[in-house]
């Protein structure tokens, strides 16, 4: 017992030292430019009264953690290389294996007095909404769980980054600014939940992204980011490669999201909103005709800075998979699956405490109606899911 107490005291002492250490990036000079490295680690505990999210959350889940390193190598004034490696465990939707989230060369071929332009090659971050660029670093996202109607965590890899090339342009307008980015890429399709989400079952074959995929985003900032507003769009093409004895011999889908977003920041509070219109077309050899749906989703979040290091938020997040079948009743009649799997309406409350500039604690509660963004892998029997459910989350995060 004494040895256990000594170990516990030592562990607490180490954690205290980590939490109070200043945030410092690792910097070193290679002789061919400077390299700066940052890291982060987050452990989240989840509990839900019904349904499962990131593990067996009805029994308390510790299966949501993110460990990452990202770096920037400034090779010369015009050329740099950026990359992030991540180990992410998220219940049945992510296995914790190490992967490259992004890795690209950035060549700034034009640098004027107030504007610049360049190209990027490699695995690129998709310019999708306001938070996709830094969605894995909890210190830079608006909550433990992003608004799931816009940023689907069950299909994170598809949404986060793609392989290809991009062209970007930046214009400095004094206290204002304008940014534009256009990508031509091949999407990543190795999300275990992606195929069941499209075809409502797991099949012998696999999905493969097509090079015809593109993304674009324009952002305008006013008065040193007091106001930020933007528009993002894309077209994602994915084909299905049949497996052995596969009843589906040809299939695929095209997904066209269109997003509008805006944020206003004052000294004590911020308000953020995003709206997405999503067009989905699915084709398969076993279907008599293509399935075409138009869905929409949006969230509105209010953040209030209570005191130095303390911040609270309230958010409403709304998802509808098919605007012509908002309550899911037609879908349920055709498939026999629950109507509530076609929508999700989420009220969330959260609290953030920056204990130091490196260590952060967060807590939030979600009151959800519908299961539109739940994983089918973690809820294998859709008929057993409940329409009304609550989700509680606590997280501890460290960064350098």
């Amino acid at each position: 017992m004494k040895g256990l107490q000594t170990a516990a005291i030592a562990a607490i002492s180490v954690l205290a030292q980590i939490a109070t250490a200043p945030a410092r990036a690792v910097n070193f000079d290679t002789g061919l430019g400077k390299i700066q490295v940052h890291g982060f680690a987050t452990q989240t505990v989840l509990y839900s009264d019904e349904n499962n999210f990131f593990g067996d959350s009805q029994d308390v889940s510790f299966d949501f953690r993110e460990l990452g390193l990202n770096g920037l190598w400034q090779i010369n004034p015009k050329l740099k290389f950026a990359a992030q490696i991540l180990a992410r465990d998220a219940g049945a939707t992510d296995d914790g294996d190490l992967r490259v989230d992004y890795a690209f060369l950035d060549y700034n071929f034009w640098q004027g007095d107030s504007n610049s332009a360049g190209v990027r090659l490699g695995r690129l971050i998709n310019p999708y909404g306001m938070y996709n660029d830094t969605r894995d670093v909890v210190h830079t996202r608006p909550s433990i769980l992003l608004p799931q109607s816009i940023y689907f965590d069950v299909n994170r890899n598809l949404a986060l980054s793609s392989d290809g090339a991009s062209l970007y342009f930046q214009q400095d307008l004094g206290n204002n600014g304008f940014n534009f980015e256009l990508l031509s890429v091949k999407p990543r399709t190795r999300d275990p939940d992606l195929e069941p989400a499209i075809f409502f079952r797991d099949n012998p074959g696999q999905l493969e992204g097509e090079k015809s995929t593109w993304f674009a985003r324009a952002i305008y900032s006013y008065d040193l980011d007091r106001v930020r507003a933007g528009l993002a769009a894309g077209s994602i093409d994915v084909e299905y490669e049949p497996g052995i004895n596969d009843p589906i011999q040809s299939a695929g889908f095209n997904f066209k999201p269109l997003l509008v977003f805006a944020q206003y920041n004052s000294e004590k509070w911020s308000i953020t909103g995003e709206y997405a219109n999503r067009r989905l077309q699915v084709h398969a050899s076993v279907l008599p005709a293509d399935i075409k749906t138009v869905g929409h989703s949006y969230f509105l979040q209010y953040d209030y800075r209570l005191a130095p290091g303390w911040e609270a938020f309230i958010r409403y997040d709304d998802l509808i998979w098919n605007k012509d079948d908002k309550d899911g009743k037609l879908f349920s009649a055709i498939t026999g699956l629950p109507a509530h799997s076609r929508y999700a309406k989420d009220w969330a409350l959260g609290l953030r405490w920056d204990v130091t500039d490196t260590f952060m604690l967060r807590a939030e509660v979600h009151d959800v109606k519908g299961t539109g963004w739940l994983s089918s892998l973690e809820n294998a029997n859709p008929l057993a899911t409940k329409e009304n459910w609550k989700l509680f989350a606590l997280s501890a995060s460290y960064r350098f």
Side-chain angles (χ1 to χ4, degrees):
M1 179 65 74
K2 185 176 180 180
L4 183 61
Q5 291 175 342
T6 301
I9 292 172
I12 292 172
S13 176
V14 170
L15 288 173
Q17 292 178 44
I18 292 175
T20 57
R24 291 194 185 98
V26 176
N27 294 278
F28 51 93
D29 197 329
T30 65
L32 186 63
K34 295 182 178 180
I35 294 179
Q36 185 176 88
V37 178
H38 295 271
F40 58 90
T42 300
Q43 174 65 59
T44 301
V45 182
L46 297 160
Y47 170 73
S48 56
D49 63 344
E50 305 285 354
N51 308 320
N52 285 321
F53 188 78
F54 289 169
D56 187 8
S57 56
Q58 293 182 76
D59 222 8
V60 180
S61 172
F62 291 84
D63 293 339
F64 184 28
R65 68 187 62 88
E66 296 155 302
L67 306 171
L69 285 174
N70 54 66
L72 177 65
W73 179 14
Q74 190 72 52
I75 301 169
N76 60 48
K78 287 184 173 292
L79 184 64
K80 60 187 176 183
F81 176 74
Q84 176 170 291
I85 57 173
L86 183 80
R88 182 177 184 268
D89 190 0
T93 70
D94 217 331
D95 56 14
D97 286 350
L98 201 65
R99 90 286 306 268
V100 177
D101 268 348
Y102 59 84
F104 59 86
L105 279 170
D106 183 328
Y107 178 59
N108 185 210
F109 62 77
W110 168 260
Q111 183 69 54
D113 293 335
S114 61
N115 52 38
S116 65
V119 293
R120 297 184 178 117
L121 299 172
R123 177 160 292 178
L124 308 170
I125 302 172
N126 297 328
Y128 185 81
M130 295 191 70
Y131 298 113
N132 202 51
D133 306 62
T134 56
R135 63 186 296 166
D136 287 307
V137 186
V138 181
H139 286 78
T140 57
R141 68 187 186 218
S143 50
I144 298 174
L145 302 178
L146 284 166
Q148 293 298 298
S149 73
I150 304 288
Y151 304 95
F152 300 104
D153 272 321
V154 293
N155 302 139
R156 170 197 171 275
N157 291 333
L158 179 72
L160 178 70
S161 57
S162 305
D163 299 325
S166 73
L167 175 68
Y168 66 86
F169 172 78
Q170 300 168 342
Q171 178 71 51
D172 183 6
L173 303 169
N175 290 340
N176 310 327
F178 173 78
N179 293 272
F180 175 77
E181 189 171 4
L182 175 65
L183 273 68
S184 176
V185 291
K186 179 179 179 180
R188 300 163 63 198
T189 56
R190 295 300 180 259
D191 282 307
D193 255 304
L194 182 58
E195 191 177 313
I198 299 299
F199 300 115
F200 308 114
R201 66 179 185 180
D202 196 10
N203 297 294
Q206 63 182 20
L207 296 171
E208 187 66 37
E210 296 296 302
K211 294 181 180 179
S212 55
T213 293
W214 62 270
F215 291 95
R217 181 177 64 184
I219 299 178
Y220 179 74
S221 62
Y222 171 77
D223 193 17
L224 300 175
D225 278 348
R226 178 179 291 273
V227 178
R228 297 180 74 227
L231 180 69
S235 178
I236 302 169
D237 281 307
V238 175
E239 290 297 317
Y240 177 77
E241 296 183 353
I244 298 174
N245 298 322
D246 198 330
I248 301 177
Q249 288 304 300
S250 66
F253 69 89
N254 174 259
F255 177 57
K256 288 185 171 69
L258 175 65
L259 289 86
V260 180
F261 51 90
Q263 182 178 70
Y264 178 82
N265 298 292
S266 73
E267 181 182 357
K268 297 289 290 184
W269 57 273
S270 300
I271 188 165
T272 307
E274 295 194 50
Y275 170 81
N277 179 275
R278 305 181 313 278
R279 295 182 178 272
L280 177 65
Q281 180 174 346
V282 179
H283 66 271
S285 58
V286 295
L287 296 174
D290 288 1
I291 296 175
K292 299 179 181 180
T293 60
V294 178
H296 67 78
S297 54
Y298 68 91
F299 77 86
L300 191 64
Q301 177 165 324
Y302 177 80
D303 296 273
Y304 187 75
R305 289 168 274 283
L306 303 165
W310 288 87
E311 188 173 305
F313 80 84
I314 182 171
R315 181 174 72 217
Y316 179 69
D317 187 24
D318 194 298
L319 164 69
I320 292 175
W321 279 110
N322 186 352
K323 69 180 184 61
D324 295 326
D325 184 28
K326 294 181 179 180
D327 56 12
K329 290 182 179 179
L330 178 60
F331 171 83
S332 181
I334 294 173
T335 65
L337 297 173
H340 58 70
S341 67
R342 302 299 286 169
Y343 58 84
K345 304 174 187 300
D346 177 13
W347 279 100
L349 290 170
L351 183 66
R352 168 177 175 164
W353 178 26
D354 290 315
V355 184
T356 70
D357 59 350
T358 64
F359 188 69
M360 180 184 70
L361 298 174
R362 256 182 165 153
E364 63 191 49
V365 57
H366 298 255
D367 188 359
V368 192
K369 181 178 181 179
T371 58
W373 41 260
L374 281 184
S375 165
S376 60
L377 299 179
E378 297 183 318
N379 300 272
N381 181 6
L383 298 178
T385 60
K386 304 297 183 183
E387 179 183 22
N388 297 293
W389 56 293
K390 292 180 176 59
L391 178 67
F392 305 87
L394 296 171
S395 75
S397 304
Y398 170 73
R399 66 174 174 176
F400 68 84

